[in-house]
Amino acid sequence: VGELQAALGDAERQRELQEAEDRALRQELKDVRDGQRILEKKGSAALKDLKRQLQLERRRADRLQERLQELLAPTRARSG
């Protein structure tokens, strides 16, 4: 009986250790998933910001091109 009680005690301790390890692994998985979600949001926000900056730069380039055409137009008229 004593040996069975000792074996039962050992089995219970093993089960408790496995449950603790399971909880730790589940928490780690949750933390990784949360971190991944945060990184995805940051990446999405960065991409959105870069697209906005690109659009602004395109508009700026268009305005500069128009201005250059305006400046070159009188020169063409005089030389033509």
Side-chain angles (χ1 to χ4, degrees):
V1 173
E3 289 180 24
L4 288 175
Q5 287 177 335
L8 181 60
D10 288 344
E12 287 177 357
R13 281 189 291 278
Q14 282 288 6
R15 184 177 54 84
E16 289 171 0
L17 287 173
Q18 287 177 345
E19 287 175 353
E21 185 178 355
D22 182 55
R23 284 191 299 273
L25 289 172
R26 288 180 188 270
Q27 183 61 44
E28 184 179 347
L29 180 60
K30 181 184 178 296
D31 293 346
V32 167
R33 285 181 179 160
D34 290 347
Q36 188 176 12
R37 241 181 255 115
I38 289 169
L39 287 175
E40 287 172 358
K41 286 182 182 179
K42 284 183 180 181
S44 178
L47 180 61
K48 188 176 179 180
D49 186 50
L50 287 172
K51 285 182 178 180
R52 183 187 59 80
Q53 288 180 22
L54 178 61
Q55 188 63 29
L56 290 173
E57 287 301 317
R58 284 181 176 159
R59 287 184 198 145
R60 182 174 173 262
D62 289 345
R63 287 193 305 267
L64 289 172
Q65 184 68 31
E66 289 172 10
R67 180 70 176 133
L68 182 60
Q69 294 298 326
E70 289 172 4
L71 292 172
L72 291 177
T75 306
R76 287 188 192 144
R78 277 184 261 138
S79 53

